[in-house]
């Protein structure tokens, strides 16, 4: 048996997704997610112009060998485009292998280590009342963990905050169809640092100590600013503070660690285990935030999480709406199987997306389960996908109040 065809499907059911379809000579179809938000077509080209022809005729069962062939064989290593392309191939091959075995993928990864995967939702609001409404809504749905993002007085639309108002829950989508250029937002770290600790104090007052609270700094603080933030929010018992400093600078987290016991998570912009080498061996983080889709797939992510496990570091796999339901399913199978699971991000996809990607994972009182269909458990409906044409969309660019470009 061998790989007979490899195709790239680009579809936009509400937002853009790039999907790899691998078909074997005996007709088994494997799916992989290759979506890189705001740069989708580069991964599509990497796959269709450079990788597809290399895969045809290869033995679909040789997953490790194919991974090394694409990673080492390209000479040019790492980076989000390369690693998203390799991830898509890897996911599709695991999907095929599990379908051939007649088992859900998590069985091939060692079987379930737990009954379900604890997930956190995105609660946000432009002010405290809207935020509190969102938190209440998620608790009613059974969520036991929420990520909290809120507006900062004096700033307009900022990262992570839905402007849609109370009652609308699954609605924050940062990639904007803004024509040929990204939309722009403004930022001021001083106002943010002065505002946020009070928000957490009020949440604890109103919702008590049970709820797990998470927060995303989205790379905006300098090391000493992040240290101050982490120290100021210590009394409110955050589950984690995410991406407090820009991801490139691993040593920055030494300073944050020296000043605070707030748990730290980082990694959604990382692509390989090497981005974590200092962070893991020096125990500078508590959670690995990579996406399976952007880190070379299931093969690479399993190795990364096993490496983290040796240092007592747990998983917190990236799961926003720009990870397709296929990438999300890959995360859920890993979450269920590994021992050092921490938490899984869950930003449910909208109905349009779920008409194109037929999922079998289930949500029950704050926990997800990948389901027991053979493979990853997600099938792409190609006819439905063809009705949604790609539309260019960008993540926003961020500027300080004086116009200086800042990390978004
Ligand atoms: O494409 C960018 C998003 O995936 C990112 O902004 C979401 O930070 C994010 C998160 O933690 O989900
Ligand atoms: Mg994040």
């Amino acid at each position: 048996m061998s790989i007979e065809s490899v195709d790239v499907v680009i579809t936009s059911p509400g937002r853009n997704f790039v999907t790899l379809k691998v078909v074997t000579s005996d007709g088994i179809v494997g799916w992989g997610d290759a979506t890189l938000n705001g740069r989708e077509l580069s991964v599509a080209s990497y796959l269709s112009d450079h990788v597809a022809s290399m895969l045809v005729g290869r033995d679909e069962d040789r997953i490790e060998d194919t991974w090394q062939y694409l990673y080492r064989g390209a000479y040019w290593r790492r980076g989000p485009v390369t690693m998203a392309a390799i991830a898509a191939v890897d996911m599709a091959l695991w999907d095929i292998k599990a379908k051939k075995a007649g088992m859900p993928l998590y069985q091939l990864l060692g079987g379930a280590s737990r009954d379900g995967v604890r997930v956190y939702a995105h609660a946000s609001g432009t002010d405290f009342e809207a935020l509190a409404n969102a938190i209440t809504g998620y608790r009613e749905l059974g969520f036991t963990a929420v990520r909290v993002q809120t507006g900062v007085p004096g700033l307009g639309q900022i990262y992570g905050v839905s402007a849609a108002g109370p009652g609308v829950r699954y609605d924050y989508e940062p990639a904007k169809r803004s024509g040929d250029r990204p939309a722009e937002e403004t930022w001021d770290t001083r106002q943010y640092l002065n505002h946020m600790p009070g928000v957490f104090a009020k949440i604890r007052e109103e919702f008590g100590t049970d709820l797990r609270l998470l927060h995303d700094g989205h790379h905006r603080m300098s090391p000493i600013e992040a240290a101050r933030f982490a120290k100021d929010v210590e009394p409110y018992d955050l589950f984690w503070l995410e991406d407090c400093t820009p991801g490139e600078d691993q040593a920055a987290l030494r300073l944050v660690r020296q000043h605070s016991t707030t748990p730290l998570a980082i990694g959604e912009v990382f692509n390989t285990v090497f981005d974590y080498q200092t962070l893991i061996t020096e125990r500078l983080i508590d959670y690995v935030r990579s996406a399976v889709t952007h880190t070379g797939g299931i093969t690479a992510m399993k190795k990364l999480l096993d490496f983290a496990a040796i240092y007592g570091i747990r998983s917190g796999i990236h799961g926003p709406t720009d990870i397709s339901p296929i990438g999300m399913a890959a995360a859920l199978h890993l979450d269920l199987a590994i021992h050092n699971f921490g938490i899984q991000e869950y930003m449910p996809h909208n109905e349009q997306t779920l008409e194109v990607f037929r999922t079998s994972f289930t949500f029950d009182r704050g926990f997800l389960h990948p389901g027991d269909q053979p493979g990853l458990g997600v099938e792409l409906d190609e006819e439905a996908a063809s009705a949604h044409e790609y539309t260019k969309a960008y993540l926003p660019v961020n500027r300080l109040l004086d116009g200086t470009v800042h990390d978004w």
Side-chain angles (χ1 to χ4, degrees):
M1 250 81 72
S2 62
I3 295 173
E4 192 164 276
S5 68
V6 178
D7 288 290
V8 176
V9 180
I10 303 172
T11 181
S12 193
R15 68 160 350 281
N16 294 319
F17 294 107
V18 178
T19 306
L20 189 72
K21 178 184 183 186
V22 176
V23 186
T24 66
S25 50
D26 53 352
I28 298 170
V29 177
W31 299 105
D33 178 24
T35 308
L36 184 62
N37 209 2
R39 296 292 187 271
E40 296 87 1
L41 299 184
S42 355
V43 191
S45 157
Y46 192 107
L47 285 165
S48 54
D49 295 335
H50 304 288
V51 170
S53 60
M54 291 160 68
L55 296 179
V56 173
R58 286 182 71 82
D59 178 352
E60 72 271 13
D61 279 329
R62 296 180 62 169
I63 299 180
E64 177 71 29
D65 182 62
T66 301
W67 197 97
Q68 301 296 345
Y69 180 70
L70 295 177
Y71 182 79
R72 290 173 206 282
Y75 184 66
W76 309 109
R77 302 171 179 210
R78 310 167 72 182
V81 175
T82 300
M83 299 312 288
I86 295 177
V89 175
D90 187 77
M91 269 182 233
L93 296 187
W94 276 110
D95 193 20
I96 289 169
K97 194 181 275 294
K99 281 172 176 162
K100 282 165 77 168
M103 291 179 186
L105 175 66
Y106 72 82
Q107 293 292 7
L108 299 190
L109 299 175
S113 286
R114 54 196 53 78
D115 300 331
V117 169
R118 188 190 300 279
V119 291
Y120 72 88
H122 282 208
S124 78
T126 46
D127 57 20
F128 187 76
E129 197 192 336
L131 173 63
N133 280 338
I135 296 174
T136 303
Y138 280 118
R139 287 183 99 195
E140 282 167 10
L141 290 172
F143 282 90
T144 59
V146 288
R147 186 187 91 153
V148 167
Q149 308 292 136
T150 186
V152 174
L155 303 180
Q157 166 69 44
I158 58 169
Y159 168 74
V161 181
S162 166
V168 183
R169 287 177 184 139
Y170 303 144
D171 51 1
Y172 178 67
E173 176 51 74
K176 305 269 185 315
R177 291 168 169 175
S178 51
D180 280 335
R181 281 162 210 222
E184 299 204 356
E185 295 179 356
T186 46
W187 182 249
D188 184 74
T189 309
R190 197 165 159 267
Q191 290 179 38
Y192 166 77
L193 290 175
N194 288 333
H195 181 67
M196 283 311 293
V199 173
F200 286 108
K202 283 208 284 202
I203 294 173
R204 283 293 179 217
E205 239 170 66
E206 197 161 325
F207 295 97
T209 51
D210 254 16
L211 192 62
R212 288 161 179 82
L213 293 179
L214 298 83
H215 179 68
D216 192 344
H218 227 251
H219 318 272
R220 289 157 186 221
M221 289 174 265
S222 69
I224 199 66
E225 287 166 345
R228 170 182 154 189
F229 187 104
K231 192 168 145 186
D232 285 354
V233 298
E234 245 172 42
Y236 314 117
D237 181 29
L238 262 57
F239 185 88
W240 78 36
L241 169 61
E242 176 188 348
D243 287 344
C244 57
T245 50
E248 302 90 319
D249 185 3
Q250 297 191 36
L253 294 186
R254 287 193 191 120
L255 194 74
V256 186
R257 272 289 204 234
Q258 275 165 24
H259 292 278
S260 162
T261 56
T262 294
L264 302 176
I266 202 163
E268 69 183 38
V269 299
F270 293 176
N271 317 117
T272 71
V273 66
F274 299 105
D275 298 320
Y276 287 97
Q277 215 164 355
T278 305
L279 296 174
I280 289 178
T281 55
E282 292 188 24
R283 300 175 205 264
L284 300 179
I285 55 168
D286 302 281
Y287 296 93
V288 162
R289 278 288 287 144
S290 279
V292 184
T293 304
H294 301 146
T295 315
I298 293 151
T299 299
M301 196 72 179
K302 175 79 166 66
K303 291 179 190 178
L304 163 56
L305 293 172
D306 287 346
F307 174 48
I310 296 167
Y311 294 86
I313 295 166
R314 295 191 284 157
S315 69
I317 301 182
H318 193 44
T321 40
D322 47 287
I323 298 301
S324 89
I326 296 166
M328 185 69 188
L332 293 177
H333 285 279
L334 268 167
D335 291 334
L336 200 67
I338 58 171
H339 179 253
N340 57 327
F341 170 72
I343 203 163
Q344 171 66 49
E345 181 179 24
Y346 180 39
M347 233 181 130
H349 292 99
N350 65 25
E351 274 172 31
Q352 265 185 317
T353 299
L354 296 175
E355 275 161 20
V356 170
F357 295 89
R358 309 288 168 139
T359 62
S360 53
F361 43 83
T362 50
F363 175 80
D364 183 27
R365 307 301 302 166
F367 289 80
L368 277 172
H369 191 284
D372 282 310
Q373 275 187 22
L376 285 168
V378 181
E379 297 297 320
L380 183 106
D381 179 334
E382 288 180 86
E383 205 186 315
S386 67
H388 302 281
E389 213 176 299
Y390 168 79
T391 313
K392 198 189 270 190
Y394 287 104
L395 289 170
V397 165
N398 209 17
R399 288 185 190 275
L400 300 179
L401 296 174
D402 71 356
T404 309
V405 172
H406 193 62
D407 304 76
W408 180 76

